[in-house]
Amino acid sequence: MNPETLVAGVLLAALVLYTLGAGADFGGGVWDLFAFGRTGTRQRDVIAHALGPIWEANHVWLILVIVLLFVCFPAAFAALSTALHVPLTVMLIGIVLRGSAFTFRTYDRSDHAVQRRWSRVFAIASIVTPLMLGVCVGAVLSGDIGVDMTSGRVTGGFFAPWLAPFPFAVGLFALSLCAFLAATYLTLETTEPDVRRAFRARALVAAVATGVLAWTCFALARSGAPVMHEGLAGADGSLVFQIVTGSVAVGAIAALWTERYTLARALAVAQVTLIVCGWGFAQYPLLIPPDVSIANAAAPANVLRAVLTVLAIGAVVLLPSLAYLYRIFKLQPGR
Amino acid sequence: MTDLLAARLGMAMSLGFHILFAAAGIAMPLLMVIAEWRWLRSRDPVDLELTKRWLRGTAILFAVGAVSGTVLSFELGLLWPGFMRWAGPVIGMPFSLEGFAFFLEAIFLGIYLYGWDRVPPLAHWASGVVIAASGCVSGIFVVCANAWMNTPTGFRMENGVAVDIDPIAAMLNPAAFQQTLHMTIAAYLAIAFAASGIHAWGLLRDPASAFHRRALAITLLLGIACAPLQLVSGDISAKQVAESQPAKLAAMEGHWETKRNAPLTIGGLPDERAEVTRYGIQLPGMLSWLAFGDVNAEVKGLREFPREDRPPVLITHLAFQVMVGAGTTLLAVAVLSAVLWVRRRAVPVDRRFLKLLIAVSPLGLIAIEAGWTVTEVGRQPWIVHGVMRTRDAVTPMPGLVVPLVTISLLYVFLGLVVLALLRRQVFAAPRGPMKSVRAGGTEPPR
Ligand code: HDD
Ligand code: HEM
Ligand code: HEM
């Protein structure tokens, strides 16, 4: 395999891990906002406890994605950050407020009003961030970010590619996916049956919402992302792929319904992995349809090989450390 | 305001904000592991309390450092796509390596912060060591990238694209060693004195506090060790600048006319129209000596350079004076501290001395801001020295004032909250001598 395809594969893998980790952290913020009912306060505690040790590590996947993008596919990075300047800036504000509000809440006064205020900021920022990320993905899929590859100029304008129904539908889809993932994980973060049941109900609601939004995106894609729509509806391999993803989603719902939480978590992970990979394969070999491809945006091969070497060495240090972190905090039973 | 100006101010804002947290991210973990090491050996509750308080400070600062660093990564593209389009691959090596350092930092901070009773004590301490090491290393990597902008190597430009890229040569560019050394010491020095100020204040309020006394002993020792090193390293940096970036050196010094036996100007106001620097104190031959180690060496003046290639002289010169002034003051205070310490055979806590420590506590951080202003403004009009001009790198996006104002307001807000929380978590320490042992307890007190 040529080095640029390998790097693109690593990028996709990092995006999957970012979604599985940080995506769920954003979802946790969503459920902080909807932590009502008798168990409301305890739900918030479980969420805070689940996020505390891991959110910063999960966040670094995004930084890795950005760095790989600007080092290995600089033309794509330049084009994306020009055409999507506005949604990316809003997303950044979300990232800043989410992380800081979460930390501030931990270390600020414990009285209700103060905690409540930081919770609000944390929750709203957790909603805005994945929404905007989804909008950006939708804008990429739409094929409206035209790029003149010789001058590097962006031809689609600063607003048109993302200020449309399809990108926002993708944004909502991303948000509900995060919420679904989070609620499913959270069922395993507590031993209290009533709190667990509350998260189960939330996971089911989010699963249904995710399904509805998936169909909405698909319907809107007909005009909003025609090339993508054709690919999804047409090619033979993609139908199989969609059936598998759909069945996993249904399986996750069934597992939640029958209170098999470990299975539900595994299926949710599989579902999200399939969705993100499906996105990747759907637009392969393009990075930003229709003009920017893996091949025409790639950095020189020797740079890519150097980066791959760094990634290989880095992985030797990183993966055991990550495994250690998760073993300490996620494989020991929750409180 | 033009979009170019808004972009430059935006970048400066974000970096100026982030660097304060980055400095804390480099130096605080070191303080923290020293305190925990002492606790492991002595089992003295004061040391444990100190570890935990510094840890809470670190956790707050780290979170803000991480999110503001994320803003920076995006801003490289949001503001300077014309630069990243070709420079990304060249400086990719340090940034990729930095990514892994960030991972290690974030992972082990999670373990350190929440793992008190989940991992064995020595493993806990070792996590702290990993945080301290990767914080230091991540700073080094990113400064390598910045040094490349000052002394670009490891590629050739052909029709606006970089070819023959050698990522290792680009990372190990001629300014990399000098800048990383100077920045790393700067972080330890600035945080040592900032923390000394906080604990000196605590001691003024509560002279019997064993907590603040122990803290001061550690921070002051670090400050005393770093202050002289920083002077030496600054001199090394200056010699490097003299060699590779003569226009920047001339702007730092407000030096207009090329001559041998060039004088060093202390203070003074450069007048860019009249091309003179007024009101400064001149030390004959000193500039030649500082820049090239020879009082008779020739130092290029600003008039040598066409106007469109000159950096803004006034800002660069003043910022340089501020940095050197701060560095010299801190060195003097460090020497005084050492003398008092030896005389008293204990960390000095005289009230007048404590007040002095409080007065100088922001100087290190001010010097960091000033030093970066020298480096960045002194490089203008280039974004990559001699290769690309800043105005050619800026995004075509109109209305950059809007994100500039929004993000600035956001940073002001975050800064104020952080100060309030630090006050609550670090400064409001237990009063008087401590007896009770409070082991365990992972979460901060509410
Ligand atoms: C605690 C902070 C601190 C202190 C006390 C000093 N500096 Fe500094 N200086 C920095 C913090 C700093 C910095 C913020 O870290 C910079 C910006 C870029 C860099 O590499 O370091 C810097 C840059 C910098 C540069 C420009 C390097 C370049 O553009 O490549 C020079 C020539 C000096 N310094 C020289 C000195 C001298 C002669 C000092 C004598 C007292 C001094 N610095 C004290
Ligand atoms: C953290 C410490 C740093 C500070 C405080 C800092 C400060 C500044 C300042 C004041 C400017 C504006 C210059 C002007 O308007 O005249 C600037 C510009 C810039 N800096 Fe730095 N800088 C830092 C480190 C870095 C690093 C590590 C990089 C990249 C690897 C970098 C990349 C840039 C870029 C791309 C610009 C915009 C172009 C320009 O105006 O030169 N800076 N920075
Ligand atoms: C010379 C200037 C810089 C130094 C010394 C520095 C150092 C650091 C350090 C030590 C951290 C760890 C977080 C903390 O403890 O606060 C950090 C975080 C970060 N920095 Fe900087 N940085 C600098 C400039 C930059 C620039 C120019 C960028 C962008 C390209 C950047 C990107 C980041 C990112 C993305 C993080 C977050 C990592 C995480 O999530 O843990 N930094 N930086």
Side-chain angles (χ1 to χ4, degrees):
Chain A
M1 200 187 280
N2 56 22
E4 59 266 27
T5 313
L6 257 177
V7 175
V10 176
L11 258 176
L12 188 63
L15 272 172
V16 169
L17 290 167
Y18 180 64
T19 317
L20 290 175
D25 295 341
F26 290 123
V30 175
W31 297 124
D32 189 284
L33 191 64
F34 293 107
F36 47 72
R38 250 181 327 105
T39 58
T41 321
R42 278 182 290 147
Q43 287 173 33
R44 278 214 180 91
D45 283 347
V46 172
I47 295 168
H49 202 73
L51 258 61
I54 54 164
W55 73 268
E56 294 194 77
N58 287 338
H59 170 74
V60 183
W61 288 112
L62 179 65
I63 293 164
L64 192 69
V65 167
I66 289 303
V67 169
L68 284 179
L69 200 62
F70 74 59
V71 175
C72 301
F73 303 105
F77 178 71
L80 285 178
S81 42
T82 309
L84 302 176
H85 191 110
V86 179
L88 285 175
T89 304
V90 176
M91 182 196 79
L92 278 177
I93 294 172
I95 286 181
V96 169
L97 283 175
R98 193 280 300 245
S100 25
F102 182 75
T103 308
F104 293 166
R105 185 178 67 176
T106 314
Y107 294 98
D108 209 335
R109 287 207 309 274
S110 61
D111 56 84
H112 193 67
V114 172
Q115 291 284 312
R116 203 42 193 269
R117 209 172 312 134
W118 288 129
S119 284
R120 272 289 148 69
V121 179
F122 164 60
I124 292 171
S126 299
I127 291 174
V128 170
T129 309
L131 183 70
M132 284 298 138
L133 214 55
V135 168
C136 292
V137 172
V140 169
L141 283 172
S142 75
D144 290 341
I145 306 181
V147 184
D148 174 359
M149 282 305 281
T150 40
S151 70
R153 216 186 320 266
V154 172
T155 55
F158 300 117
F159 295 94
W162 59 271
L163 204 56
F166 176 71
F168 276 85
V170 178
L172 288 174
F173 173 71
L175 178 62
S176 74
L177 201 62
C178 292
F180 164 66
L181 206 53
T184 311
Y185 290 176
L186 285 168
T187 56
L188 287 163
E189 292 282 344
T190 176
T191 47
E192 298 170 44
D194 50 348
V195 181
R196 178 174 274 182
R197 249 178 279 120
F199 285 130
R200 168 175 172 266
R202 282 159 174 73
L204 285 168
V205 172
V208 174
T210 307
V212 172
L213 284 164
W215 281 108
T216 315
C217 289
F218 186 67
L220 285 173
R222 190 186 296 274
S223 63
V227 181
M228 176 76 186
H229 186 265
E230 233 163 75
L232 279 181
D236 354 302
S238 87
L239 188 64
V240 179
F241 199 86
Q242 286 174 68
I243 291 175
V244 172
T245 312
S247 342
V248 173
V250 173
I253 294 181
L256 280 169
W257 189 261
T258 55
E259 306 191 6
R260 269 172 273 192
Y261 296 116
T262 317
L263 178 65
R265 177 168 69 177
L267 288 172
V269 165
Q271 180 189 347
V272 171
T273 309
L274 284 167
I275 289 173
V276 179
C277 290
W279 161 40
F281 292 132
Q283 62 173 63
Y284 177 86
L286 294 179
L287 285 174
I288 312 173
D291 297 319
V292 185
S293 70
I294 293 179
N296 73 8
N302 69 320
V303 173
L304 298 176
R305 265 184 243 112
V307 170
L308 283 168
T309 314
V310 170
L311 286 171
I313 298 169
V316 174
V317 184
L318 169 64
L319 296 180
S321 308
L322 259 185
Y324 185 53
L325 177 74
Y326 271 79
R327 200 176 62 99
I328 295 172
F329 294 105
K330 296 293 155 192
L331 294 186
Q332 295 174 7
R335 280 193 302 190
Chain B
M1 187 185 289
T2 64
D3 281 319
L4 175 59
L5 188 60
R8 285 169 64 184
L9 282 177
M11 194 74 199
M13 255 304 291
S14 299
L15 282 159
F17 184 76
H18 175 70
I19 193 67
L20 300 176
F21 297 89
I26 293 169
M28 285 303 295
L30 178 68
L31 295 176
M32 193 172 86
V33 295
I34 293 175
E36 191 183 12
W37 179 246
R38 291 184 57 123
W39 183 68
L40 288 178
R41 311 232 342 209
S42 67
R43 296 282 151 179
D44 179 343
V46 175
D47 288 318
L48 180 63
E49 183 67 27
L50 191 54
T51 312
K52 292 202 165 168
R53 297 233 165 212
W54 276 343
L55 171 58
R56 284 183 215 131
T58 308
I60 298 167
L61 293 168
F62 185 91
V64 180
V67 294
S68 61
T70 310
V71 174
L72 277 173
S73 314
F74 278 89
E75 270 181 343
L76 286 176
L78 291 175
L79 300 176
W80 314 107
F83 162 61
M84 293 310 286
R85 226 177 107 75
W86 66 270
V90 191
I91 49 174
M93 188 48 76
F95 277 117
S96 318
L97 288 165
E98 194 197 18
F100 286 100
F102 288 155
F103 256 125
L104 290 184
E105 235 179 319
I107 290 172
F108 286 95
L109 187 72
I111 295 175
Y112 198 87
L113 201 51
Y114 290 85
W116 285 93
D117 36 36
R118 292 191 182 223
V119 297
L122 209 57
H124 187 263
W125 179 76
S127 307
V129 174
V130 177
I131 303 172
S134 45
C136 175
V137 170
S138 63
I140 289 178
F141 286 137
V142 74
V143 175
C144 283
N146 179 266
W148 176 85
M149 296 165 68
N150 290 326
T151 55
T153 43
F155 69 105
R156 239 166 11 88
M157 281 311 262
E158 219 170 66
N159 309 324
V161 257
V163 293
D164 292 342
I165 298 175
D166 179 347
I168 305 284
M171 179 165 129
L172 304 178
N173 58 76
F177 170 73
Q178 291 83 344
Q179 275 196 239
T180 52
L181 179 70
H182 196 54
M183 177 64 224
T184 310
I185 304 175
Y188 292 118
L189 176 64
I191 296 300
F193 274 101
S196 296
I198 291 179
H199 295 294
W201 194 346
L203 277 173
L204 268 188
R205 269 200 339 179
D206 178 14
S209 167
F211 170 83
H212 285 305
R213 195 179 290 247
R214 182 71 46 84
L216 188 62
I218 297 176
T219 56
L220 204 52
L221 204 59
L222 184 63
I224 292 172
C226 290
L229 291 179
Q230 186 65 340
L231 204 69
V232 175
S233 132
D235 180 48
I236 299 177
S237 275
K239 290 192 162 57
Q240 205 286 323
V241 173
E243 197 183 306
S244 64
Q245 305 162 74
K248 183 189 273 183
L249 183 82
M252 278 158 48
E253 304 291 356
H255 175 63
W256 293 93
E257 230 171 305
T258 304
K259 55 176 146 188
R260 296 185 174 282
N261 198 353
L264 180 70
T265 311
I266 297 181
L269 278 183
D271 180 337
E272 302 187 27
R273 247 202 224 108
E275 307 196 333
V276 288
T277 300
R278 300 203 182 87
Y279 319 122
I281 305 167
Q282 307 240 330
L283 304 180
M286 284 303 283
L287 177 55
S288 292
W289 185 71
L290 282 176
F292 297 102
D294 170 6
V295 286
N296 285 317
E298 180 181 278
V299 181
K300 272 202 183 134
L302 282 160
R303 287 190 200 149
E304 197 91 354
F305 302 90
R307 273 183 189 257
E308 77 267 15
D309 285 355
R310 290 182 200 164
V313 184
L314 183 65
I315 300 179
T316 314
H317 179 69
L318 289 185
F320 188 65
Q321 306 303 306
V322 169
M323 168 172 62
V324 175
T328 316
T329 312
L330 288 181
L331 180 63
V333 175
V335 171
L336 176 68
S337 316
V339 170
L340 287 178
W341 201 321
V342 172
R343 284 236 197 108
R344 307 267 194 287
R345 290 161 194 273
V347 57
V349 291
D350 321 34
R351 292 184 75 79
R352 287 230 313 268
F353 176 72
L354 294 177
K355 283 185 189 152
L356 176 67
L357 284 182
I358 297 169
V360 301
S361 63
L363 284 187
L365 295 171
I366 292 173
I368 287 186
E369 298 286 359
W372 279 106
T373 309
V374 172
T375 306
E376 302 292 314
V377 177
R379 191 184 58 237
Q380 301 305 314
W382 305 101
I383 190 168
V384 180
H385 183 235
V387 178
M388 180 183 225
R389 283 174 198 268
T390 308
R391 67 169 126 79
D392 300 328
V394 73
T395 179
M397 177 81 197
L400 291 178
V401 162
V402 179
L404 169 65
V405 172
T406 322
I407 294 190
S408 304
L409 288 178
L410 185 63
Y411 282 163
V412 170
F413 167 70
L414 291 185
L416 292 176
V417 177
V418 165
L419 283 181
L421 292 185
L422 284 183
R423 191 186 146 84
R424 183 181 145 70
Q425 294 292 352
V426 183
F427 181 66
R431 295 180 78 94
M434 286 179 53
K435 285 184 211 76
S436 66
V437 181
R438 279 201 337 190
T442 51
E443 311 286 307
R446 284 283 168 84

